[in-house]
Amino acid sequence: MDLNSASTIVLQVLTQATSQDTAVLKPAEEQLKQWETQPFFYSVLLNIFTNHSLDVNVRWLAVLYFKNGIDRYWRRVAPHALSEEEKTTLRAGLIANFNEPVNQIATQISVLIAKVARVDCPRQWPELIPTLLESVKVQDDLQQHRALLTLYHVTKTLASKRLAADRKLFYDLTSGIYSFACSLWNHHTDTFLQQICTGDETGATNSLERTLLSLKVLRKLTVHGFVEPHWNAEVMGFLHAVFERLKQFLECSRSIRAENLCRDRVEKTIILFTKVLLDFLDQHPFSFTSLIQRSLEFAVSYVFTEAGEGIVFEQFIVQCMNLIKMIVKNYAYKPSKNIEDSSPETLEAHKIKTAFFTYPTLMEICRRLVTHYFLLTKEELTMWEEDPEGFTVEETGGDSWKYSLRPCTEVLFIDIFHEYNQTLAPVLLEMVHSLQGSTNVEDTNAILIKDAVYNAVGLAAYELFDSVDFDQWFKNQLLAELQVSHNRYKPIRRRVIWLIGQWISVKFKSDLRPVLYETICNLLQDQDLVVRIETATTLKLTVDDFEFRTDQFLPYLESMFTLLFKLLQEVTECDTKMHVLHVLSCVIERVNIQIQPYVGCLVQYLPLLWKQSEEHNMLRCAILTTLIHLVQGLGADSKNLYPFLLPVIQLSTDVTQPPHVYLLEDGLELWLVTLENSPCLTPELLRIFQNMSALLELSSENLKNCFKIINAYIFLSSSEFLQMYASVLCQSFCSLLKDITTEGQVQVLKVVENVLKVNPVLGPQMFQPLLPSIFRGIIDGERYPVVMSTYLGIMGRVLLQNARFFSLLLSEMAHELGQESDQILGNMIEMWVDRMDNITQPERRKLSALALLSLLPSLNAVIQDKFCGIINISVEGLHDVMTEDAEAGTYKDCMLMAHFEQPKVTDDEEPPTEQDKRKKLLALKDPVHTVSLQQFIYEKLKAQQELLGEQGFQALMETVDTEVVAQLQEFLQGF
């Protein structure tokens, strides 16, 4: 089929694919999907989207299909890759002319040219850059703009490549076009400034667009196109010119009316100038050294003096502050403690910084930050009144300092204060001293200043550790401030309780805590919601602190919990509810079982909140966290929560339900603590396990918790659980072991080991399919010690506690390997003796000794042949477990447990869970903890002696090393 008739068909299908009717749309999309790998499909698409007479929506779709095709089929190694012949035609067609009239389509075409350039430029497409440079020079406005747009996208894409060879190509490209890019930018910038002066709005708008694009190109070339840019006069010339241009554009923005089309673009260009400086500083700190002085003078004058008044706008202030911050904090500019170890470049930069940041400059910056930038704005105060919850959520962490003014000013203050705290601490303390006593509630300005100063003291808490006696200040001043209940004083109440939260982990005497708890109880009843939410935050910091003591907190627990619960019901925003829930969780976690009398109300409310939060998965995560701590606090009583708890676990861990993406991790944690604290297995708890096989198939980072859950079921009620799920589990484990890390293998095998521990009779039959590979692993001498140790642990259990099954397994292995049973048994014992050092856990070492000894007494020639090894292991085992009773001069087995003792729990320790008790009871049935190794060896040797007679037994003992025999006799004294 020729291209023209193909174009007609593709055009028809593309037109159908833009339809709103799904009956038409779906078949069209299917057809296009099939054509994606057909030869010349992309040539047809190119013809369609470069034909300006066609419908815009159809052309737009053609561009998108072309762009997606580049990602999938352009590289030579891709399946269904495009032929070299077609790619050559397409490359030529893409840069034949730059006259796309529709902006959005032009941008997409530029992006897809850049995608091709990433793979082919310059080797397969050497003509791309020269063509673009020629097109940028033409007089035609549209063509010039589209070529410049494409040049920007190509430069941006090539600059992002990171391999050494690609970097070298980009350096070569940059050196070839840098002069041209500089003159192009200067030309468009000068044109724009002239047009704005003469009032030519349309011309100015066009020129500004070109200024912006050529500056974007220059930014990429300057930042990524040179190894050592400071040796290049043109680069440094451009960077110095940036400061001049910034001044011109700032003045220009002052003269442009707000409604002018250019205003927004001018501000965008100003921000782009600052990005050039910030990126360059980030990538080439030493090349930036000669710009430090100028950058600091520029930024400080606009942000911290009158020079900026009426000119600066918020985003520009943020960028300037980030520039100061990056210079102040830059590690490249910090000399080592030992000056001789610092490079000359570092010392030079440090000298420039020190010369700039004089006492008057620092003092002015500090004062302006606190008394100007820290003040709550009119907008913030309005928000406080109209949307208090929105106001409390506003202040976000993370990278918000890069974009938002308040976080940005605070981070700059912290960094400058940290760097120059010797100079600035007295300045800040003087501000604090001038604000002693309570402030007149009518004086709004004084209240806002005090709020700002207290904010500074909180932010600089660590730096002020030695300068402020916080305990005295708390008792003498801050407590009194919190008691002023006037509505206009609420900024101070909120700020003071926040301030205490900042200092609590820095310096706060333990015996003042009860006073603080009293205060928190009062403030949780404050008339203002913002104050109450801030108080809850401080409570969390107080409870979460290292020096928290439960006994001090308990007298206030009931009222705190009640007030927090009231706050939780009161707030309406999802984020605030999450926040208050986290505070509640934290309290429950710290007081543990002491919470039991007070949680009734919360337990009744959580199901309702869960229902309401169907659309808010993050809030549901917070509910799960709260439930985890609740279950731990309630212990066995958590059984009363099952009607709500189990459906929640069911939903959160069901991979067929969409919310599992958010809830799975916390859901598994909740499932685990529920099992650990469960007094008995209920049918519903057993039913949830149906979710597990799909979770094991996911084999994600949650696998560890899945194994813990399986183990918890085994300890809880192995017979019921295994009857229902053993075969499914065994299948899952068989497939998992084929494709899992060593650590994962050990986790799977530990589950099997626990099954055998709990149920030595039925366990081996239920997990029979896994045992041959474990047997083979032992005989073949598995190379990973941890895996080998677990193999031996499992086989030891089978051999010691289910000898009948072991002999069946031995026969099966002999049949499979085509060898005699005795030969295989001999190989196994030999490997066991050889690899005993792989086993590090004392329990498993004792188990190995007991298991191998259980083969005695025997007339079997192979076992007698390995007798020496068995005795060696037994004596090693004795060394591991025997402790000497110095007074009686005898030895005793330290692993023996006689009866179940309820351990005494101190306040700081967590009480044992139901699962801990179950494990303890299980240990009381385990041969490792009930059989004395000393006694066992004695009995087995005695039986062997009786079987062989004195002479035969002596001959056997002579195969053992005399030193080992001597140690054995010492351990067996008294028998």
Side-chain angles (χ1 to χ4, degrees):
M1 191 188 289
D2 68 338
L3 276 184
N4 286 337
S5 50
S7 291
T8 313
I9 299 169
V10 174
L11 182 59
Q12 193 180 350
V13 176
L14 277 169
T15 310
Q16 289 166 353
T18 60
S19 163
Q20 300 298 313
D21 179 357
T22 47
V24 179
L25 171 74
K26 284 286 175 225
E29 283 181 338
E30 281 303 311
Q31 182 59 69
L32 289 165
K33 194 167 179 53
Q34 285 169 17
W35 283 339
E36 275 181 3
T37 54
Q38 294 296 315
F40 301 107
F41 174 58
Y42 295 97
S43 304
V44 173
L45 288 178
L46 178 67
N47 287 347
I48 290 172
F49 71 69
T50 50
N51 181 348
H52 304 160
S53 63
L54 297 174
D55 176 62
V56 168
N57 292 325
V58 173
R59 293 173 55 225
W60 169 258
L61 204 56
V63 168
L64 291 187
Y65 269 95
F66 194 107
K67 191 173 82 172
N68 295 338
I70 293 170
D71 288 336
R72 291 187 195 129
Y73 310 114
W74 195 273
R75 290 181 187 277
R76 276 184 218 165
V77 292
H80 310 294
L82 291 165
S83 68
E84 290 304 313
E85 173 198 359
E86 184 176 4
K87 287 203 291 195
T88 307
T89 317
L90 291 173
R91 283 192 292 258
L94 283 171
I95 54 172
N97 47 37
F98 297 96
N99 57 358
E100 172 54 57
V102 181
N103 281 334
Q104 288 91 329
I105 295 178
T107 304
Q108 290 301 328
I109 293 173
S110 297
V111 169
L112 67 85
I113 290 173
K115 280 179 180 286
V116 174
R118 186 179 182 92
V119 182
D120 289 354
C121 190
R123 292 193 179 90
Q124 281 84 31
W125 206 3
E127 62 277 13
L128 170 64
I129 302 292
T131 307
L132 287 172
L133 296 182
E134 281 310 308
S135 305
V136 163
K137 294 176 193 168
V138 298
Q139 290 306 304
D140 179 69
D141 268 2
L142 181 68
Q143 198 177 338
Q144 188 188 63
H145 177 271
R146 298 313 190 220
L148 191 51
L149 180 67
T150 307
L151 178 63
Y152 161 60
H153 280 288
V154 168
T155 315
K156 179 182 173 181
T157 303
L158 296 180
S160 69
K161 295 179 83 175
R162 286 285 164 265
L163 294 175
D166 295 326
R167 310 265 354 99
K168 172 80 176 70
L169 286 172
F170 192 68
Y171 297 149
D172 295 344
L173 166 72
T174 304
S175 64
I177 68 170
Y178 197 79
S179 301
F180 173 73
C182 282
S183 56
L184 187 70
W185 166 68
N186 272 317
H187 163 70
H188 287 308
T189 309
D190 288 335
T191 310
F192 163 71
L193 291 168
Q194 281 162 8
Q195 287 166 329
I196 212 81
C197 287
T198 56
D200 175 2
E201 245 182 67
T202 317
T205 308
N206 285 337
S207 298
L208 184 55
E209 186 59 35
R210 287 157 182 67
T211 302
L212 202 52
L213 283 171
S214 50
L215 181 56
K216 283 180 175 181
V217 171
L218 261 182
R219 175 188 172 195
K220 293 297 172 192
L221 297 176
T222 306
V223 174
H224 300 288
F226 299 91
V227 185
E228 292 182 310
H230 55 284
W231 295 119
N232 186 306
E234 261 185 312
V235 173
M236 298 319 283
F238 162 65
L239 289 167
H240 280 288
V242 163
F243 293 102
E244 295 307 323
R245 293 299 196 188
L246 262 169
K247 281 183 185 153
Q248 292 173 336
F249 272 72
L250 284 163
E251 283 302 324
C252 170
S253 76
R254 190 206 296 237
S255 62
I256 298 175
R257 297 185 313 281
E259 64 275 9
N260 190 311
L261 294 171
C262 283
R263 179 63 182 259
D264 189 42
R265 306 300 279 172
V266 167
E267 290 190 355
K268 214 170 181 174
T269 312
I270 291 169
I271 295 305
L272 190 59
F273 281 126
T274 61
K275 282 181 181 172
V276 171
L277 296 172
L278 283 163
D279 288 358
F280 191 76
L281 168 57
D282 183 49
Q283 292 289 324
H284 307 283
F286 290 129
S287 298
F288 195 86
T289 304
S290 62
L291 300 163
I292 292 176
Q293 176 77 20
R294 197 161 182 188
S295 301
L296 289 172
E297 283 171 358
F298 175 85
V300 169
S301 74
Y302 275 108
V303 177
F304 294 112
T305 70
E306 279 65 44
E309 281 178 17
I311 297 178
V312 296
F313 51 97
E314 186 169 311
Q315 202 48 46
F316 174 69
I317 297 172
V318 169
Q319 294 293 90
C320 284
M321 285 189 177
N322 286 339
L323 188 59
I324 300 169
K325 171 193 150 54
M326 278 178 71
I327 293 172
V328 167
K329 210 181 172 191
N330 207 308
Y331 288 109
Y333 302 157
K334 287 188 179 171
S336 313
K337 286 212 165 75
N338 190 359
I339 293 291
E340 290 84 64
D341 297 341
S342 307
S343 67
E345 295 89 346
T346 300
L347 294 174
E348 171 65 16
H350 182 67
K351 192 171 134 197
I352 297 169
K353 262 171 62 179
T354 312
F356 179 81
F357 286 113
T358 57
Y359 177 74
T361 306
L362 283 169
M363 193 169 86
E364 189 53 33
I365 289 175
C366 178
R367 282 189 179 286
R368 288 282 291 212
L369 274 172
V370 176
T371 59
H372 177 67
Y373 288 108
F374 278 12
L375 295 184
L376 286 169
T377 62
K378 263 203 188 78
E379 292 77 21
E380 285 170 323
L381 290 168
T382 308
M383 191 177 188
W384 185 328
E385 294 302 331
E386 292 173 3
D387 178 14
E389 291 184 47
F391 175 83
T392 58
V393 174
E394 268 293 90
E395 300 161 25
T396 46
D399 273 355
S400 55
W401 58 270
K402 289 181 181 172
Y403 319 105
S404 305
L405 185 57
R406 182 163 293 285
C408 171
T409 53
E410 291 181 349
V411 167
L412 176 64
F413 174 79
I414 292 167
D415 288 337
I416 287 190
F417 207 93
H418 175 73
E419 192 74 8
Y420 302 104
N421 64 338
Q422 301 292 311
T423 310
L424 291 177
V427 178
L428 185 54
L429 291 176
E430 183 206 322
M431 289 186 193
V432 175
H433 288 308
S434 67
L435 296 170
Q436 290 297 359
S438 68
T439 308
N440 179 1
V441 292
E442 302 300 326
D443 190 345
T444 311
N445 197 41
I447 284 175
L448 293 180
I449 293 271
K450 181 178 266 193
D451 171 75
V453 173
Y454 283 4
N455 185 12
V457 177
L459 294 172
Y462 284 99
E463 311 300 333
L464 293 170
F465 180 85
D466 295 321
S467 322
V468 173
D469 182 346
F470 193 79
D471 299 329
Q472 283 303 315
W473 193 30
F474 172 71
K475 285 190 292 194
N476 301 341
Q477 163 100 11
L478 299 179
L479 270 177
E481 304 254 32
L482 290 173
Q483 275 143 19
V484 181
S485 59
H486 195 288
N487 186 42
R488 284 197 185 160
Y489 213 68
K490 64 189 180 189
I492 303 299
R493 291 199 300 280
R494 166 194 171 245
R495 182 59 70 194
V496 169
I497 199 66
W498 170 87
L499 173 65
I500 294 165
Q502 300 307 298
W503 274 84
I504 202 87
S505 58
V506 179
K507 196 182 197 179
F508 195 83
K509 233 203 230 110
S510 183
D511 52 11
L512 283 175
R513 295 233 171 187
V515 185
L516 176 57
Y517 295 143
E518 187 82 44
T519 308
I520 288 175
C521 281
N522 293 335
L523 281 178
L524 282 171
Q525 301 168 69
D526 195 276
Q527 72 238 38
D528 184 79
L529 182 57
V530 172
V531 175
R532 294 201 293 281
I533 294 170
E534 197 64 72
T535 306
T537 310
T538 291
L539 172 59
K540 182 178 183 297
L541 293 167
T542 311
V543 169
D544 223 3
D545 183 49
F546 181 69
E547 291 189 4
F548 173 79
R549 287 198 354 236
T550 316
D551 57 322
Q552 287 181 319
F553 187 69
L554 286 178
Y556 306 94
L557 176 58
E558 183 176 3
S559 53
M560 291 264 198
F561 201 85
T562 312
L563 290 164
L564 279 173
F565 177 63
K566 195 172 159 215
L567 180 60
L568 177 65
Q569 288 174 295
E570 215 174 331
V571 294
T572 54
E573 293 290 326
C574 184
D575 284 340
T576 332
K577 278 198 184 293
M578 271 166 56
H579 179 62
V580 180
L581 261 179
H582 281 311
V583 180
L584 274 163
S585 285
C586 198
V587 171
I588 297 169
E589 186 182 13
R590 290 314 291 259
V591 300
N592 207 300
I593 54 173
Q594 321 264 21
I595 199 69
Q596 290 179 0
Y598 315 117
V599 292
C601 54
L602 182 65
V603 167
Q604 285 173 331
Y605 176 65
L606 284 178
L608 175 68
L609 186 58
W610 180 264
K611 204 167 169 9
Q612 288 170 347
S613 61
E614 207 163 334
E615 302 298 309
H616 304 288
N617 286 308
M618 298 317 287
L619 177 52
R620 284 195 155 184
C621 286
I623 296 172
L624 287 173
T625 310
T626 309
L627 284 170
I628 290 166
H629 297 313
L630 254 180
V631 170
Q632 286 167 326
L634 290 171
D637 289 348
S638 59
K639 190 168 184 284
N640 302 329
L641 295 182
Y642 285 4
F644 167 53
L645 202 55
L646 301 188
V648 164
I649 295 171
Q650 162 70 42
L651 173 78
S652 309
T653 59
D654 181 350
V655 297
T656 62
Q657 299 286 342
H660 89 272
V661 177
Y662 303 94
L663 308 178
L664 181 59
E665 199 173 325
D666 293 316
L668 287 171
E669 186 76 30
L670 178 59
W671 191 356
L672 179 60
V673 299
T674 301
L675 288 166
E676 286 175 344
N677 290 281
S678 175
C680 59
L681 187 61
T682 67
E684 295 76 21
L685 201 48
L686 196 54
R687 203 172 304 127
I688 300 177
F689 195 79
Q690 290 166 353
N691 286 356
M692 184 56 76
S693 52
L695 290 166
L696 291 175
E697 275 172 38
L698 274 183
S699 63
S700 62
E701 66 279 3
N702 292 313
L703 217 45
K704 216 175 213 167
N705 264 348
C706 291
F707 291 133
K708 285 183 184 172
I709 288 165
I710 298 167
N711 283 325
Y713 273 105
I714 291 165
F715 293 131
L716 182 58
S717 176
S718 67
S719 47
E720 283 177 82
F721 169 67
L722 291 171
Q723 272 162 6
M724 243 179 115
Y725 293 111
S727 60
V728 182
L729 259 185
C730 197
Q731 281 171 355
S732 295
F733 284 179
C734 285
S735 60
L736 259 179
L737 285 169
K738 288 177 196 147
D739 178 30
I740 199 169
T741 61
T742 314
E743 191 188 349
Q745 281 181 39
V746 172
Q747 298 287 344
V748 173
L749 295 168
K750 275 185 179 167
V751 175
V752 179
E753 192 178 15
N754 282 330
V755 171
L756 301 181
K757 208 184 275 188
V758 175
N759 208 324
V761 182
L762 293 174
Q765 290 165 13
M766 290 173 160
F767 285 87
Q768 197 276 335
L770 289 170
L771 295 175
S773 62
I774 293 172
F775 205 110
R776 269 196 305 278
I778 295 173
I779 295 173
D780 299 343
E782 161 63 49
R783 63 200 179 100
Y784 287 109
V786 202
V787 179
M788 185 62 157
S789 165
T790 321
Y791 281 171
L792 294 173
I794 290 170
M795 207 46 69
R797 291 266 163 211
V798 178
L799 177 55
L800 177 63
Q801 293 180 271
N802 200 334
R804 200 176 62 76
F805 189 87
F806 180 78
S807 56
L808 288 173
L809 179 63
L810 198 57
S811 310
E812 185 190 332
M813 294 308 298
H815 178 69
E816 188 184 313
L817 298 171
Q819 295 174 5
E820 290 296 317
S821 294
D822 282 356
Q823 188 188 349
I824 291 176
L825 177 62
N827 292 347
M828 187 186 84
I829 297 172
E830 195 170 314
M831 192 55 77
W832 205 320
V833 173
D834 185 46
R835 299 293 290 274
M836 183 68 178
D837 285 346
N838 287 172
I839 306 177
T840 52
Q841 303 90 330
E843 287 87 354
R844 273 201 201 142
R845 289 176 71 81
K846 178 175 174 181
L847 176 71
S848 288
L850 291 171
L852 290 176
L853 280 164
S854 72
L855 293 167
L856 302 177
S858 174
L859 290 169
N860 183 314
V862 170
I863 293 176
Q864 292 194 21
D865 182 45
K866 306 296 176 195
F867 181 78
C868 163
I870 294 174
I871 296 301
N872 284 345
I873 281 189
S874 305
V875 173
E876 271 192 49
L878 286 169
H879 279 292
D880 291 328
V881 303
M882 301 305 277
T883 52
E884 194 172 358
D885 186 343
E887 289 172 21
T890 54
Y891 289 94
K892 69 173 196 306
D893 187 333
C894 67
M895 283 201 184
L896 291 182
M897 286 180 177
H899 57 91
F900 184 59
E901 289 173 14
Q902 193 76 40
K904 292 184 174 48
V905 180
T906 64
D907 272 356
D908 295 337
E909 287 180 319
E910 289 187 4
T913 61
E914 295 299 305
Q915 179 160 304
D916 294 332
K917 295 173 193 171
R918 287 192 278 273
K919 283 182 174 176
K920 204 73 180 273
L921 288 168
L922 176 62
L924 292 175
K925 297 181 197 158
D926 187 343
V928 172
H929 297 294
T930 54
V931 175
S932 157
L933 182 58
Q934 195 182 18
Q935 175 98 28
F936 197 66
I937 292 178
Y938 175 73
E939 285 167 5
K940 289 293 181 182
L941 291 180
K942 189 111 179 80
Q944 187 71 21
Q945 188 178 22
E946 284 167 8
L947 186 66
L948 294 183
E950 185 61 41
Q951 202 174 352
F953 183 66
Q954 274 319 104
L956 204 53
M957 285 304 286
E958 277 166 13
T959 62
V960 184
D961 183 73
T962 51
E963 178 61 35
V964 174
V965 174
Q967 291 172 15
L968 180 62
Q969 285 168 341
E970 190 184 341
F971 279 123
L972 296 184
Q973 274 172 1
F975 277 95

